[in-house]
């Protein structure tokens, strides 16, 4: 339970616990935490009436970490299952969505788009869940940085192919420091 006396687990204990609980819903954080990958590309479908988890299409540098439950948060933590709190949370270190988005409209949940990059086609669906934003700081020794790109197929295969080249660079495909990565398609 969160309190000033809360003590985080060791790195090995956290990795073991996450690895034991891996399933289809959390294989990405598990792979990141275990060091199997350091980049994720989410090739997101673009159904006009769907709702997606955030973030919107763009390039992001993020940190996956255990929240520091010894430090108070500005907002309540979500409670999962039998009173448990999230083991891991995402923290943005830098982000660059392909568009600027207005606040979600109350009656539709959709956002108006202001194009920032004219070389990237605008997605058809702007309805995503911002989700829970952890307001506690991360536990530094229980965190891992990673590269995260969210893109639709139309954006990835745009005629000038600049975005495809950017994704290949972020994944270091064919480069001297190439590593494993996850391509999440839905």
């Amino acid at each position: 339970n969160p309190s000033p006396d809360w003590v985080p687990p060791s790195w090995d204990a956290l990795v073991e616990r996450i690895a034991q609980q891996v399933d289809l819903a959390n294989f990405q954080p598990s792979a990141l935490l275990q060091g199997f990958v350091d980049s994720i590309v989410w090739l997101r479908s673009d159904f006009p009436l769907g709702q997606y988890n955030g973030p919107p299409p763009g390039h992001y540098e993020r940190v996956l970490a255990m929240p520091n439950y010894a430090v108070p948060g500005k907002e309540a933590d979500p409670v999962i299952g039998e009173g448990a709190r999230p083991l891991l949370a995402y923290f943005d270190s830098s982000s660059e969505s392909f568009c600027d988005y207005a606040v979600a409209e109350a009656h539709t949940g959709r956002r108006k788009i202001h194009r920032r990059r004219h070389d990237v086609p605008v997605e058809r669906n702007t309805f995503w869940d911002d989700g829970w934003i952890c307001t506690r700081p991360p536990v530094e020794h229980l965190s891992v940085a990673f590269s995260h790109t969210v893109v639709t197929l139309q954006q990835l295969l745009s005629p000038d192919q600049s975005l495809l080249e950017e994704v290949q660079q972020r994944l270091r495909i064919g480069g001297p420091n190439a590593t494993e990565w996850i391509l999440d398609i839905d």
Side-chain angles (χ1 to χ4, degrees):
N1 285 332
S3 77
D5 299 329
W6 178 81
V7 177
S10 69
W11 175 263
D12 291 340
L14 178 63
V15 169
E16 182 178 331
R17 184 169 177 190
I18 296 296
Q20 289 175 351
Q21 296 176 357
V22 71
D23 60 28
L24 187 58
N26 67 5
F27 72 94
Q28 292 178 356
S30 180
L32 288 164
L33 198 66
Q34 293 180 71
F36 294 135
V37 299
D38 67 1
S39 298
I40 294 175
V41 174
W42 177 17
L43 183 58
R44 191 189 87 177
S45 55
D46 197 18
F47 302 116
L49 299 177
Q51 177 178 352
Y52 298 95
N53 298 326
H59 296 305
Y60 304 91
E61 296 301 321
R62 303 180 86 187
V63 173
L64 176 67
M66 176 172 250
N68 188 337
Y69 289 110
V71 177
K74 295 178 183 131
E75 295 184 21
D77 301 318
V79 176
I80 302 167
E82 298 177 13
R85 287 174 171 62
L87 280 176
L88 299 171
Y90 292 105
F91 299 86
D92 289 329
S93 51
S94 70
S95 62
E96 181 183 318
S97 60
F98 301 139
C99 297
D100 290 322
Y101 301 90
V103 174
E105 297 173 354
H107 62 288
T108 66
R110 311 271 176 213
R111 294 167 168 85
K112 293 190 185 296
I113 296 176
H114 307 285
R115 281 186 95 157
R116 185 178 329 151
R117 290 189 53 178
H118 294 281
D119 61 323
V120 177
V122 173
E123 69 269 21
R124 294 179 295 173
N125 187 316
T126 60
F127 187 33
W128 65 86
D129 176 9
D130 291 323
W132 170 65
I133 306 292
C134 184
T135 58
R136 297 175 187 276
V139 176
E140 292 297 325
H141 72 278
L142 299 177
S143 65
V144 61
F146 69 103
S147 173
H148 189 199
T149 295
V150 179
V151 63
T152 67
L153 185 60
Q154 179 188 7
Q155 292 169 333
L156 190 64
L157 301 179
S158 62
D160 71 2
Q161 298 204 341
S162 63
L163 191 54
L164 179 59
E165 292 173 12
E166 288 175 26
V167 168
Q168 289 173 331
Q169 288 172 355
R170 291 176 69 83
L171 296 176
R172 298 179 302 279
I173 293 176
N177 296 321
T179 64
E180 301 296 325
W181 44 272
I182 292 175
L183 174 62
D184 180 15
I185 301 174
D186 74 350

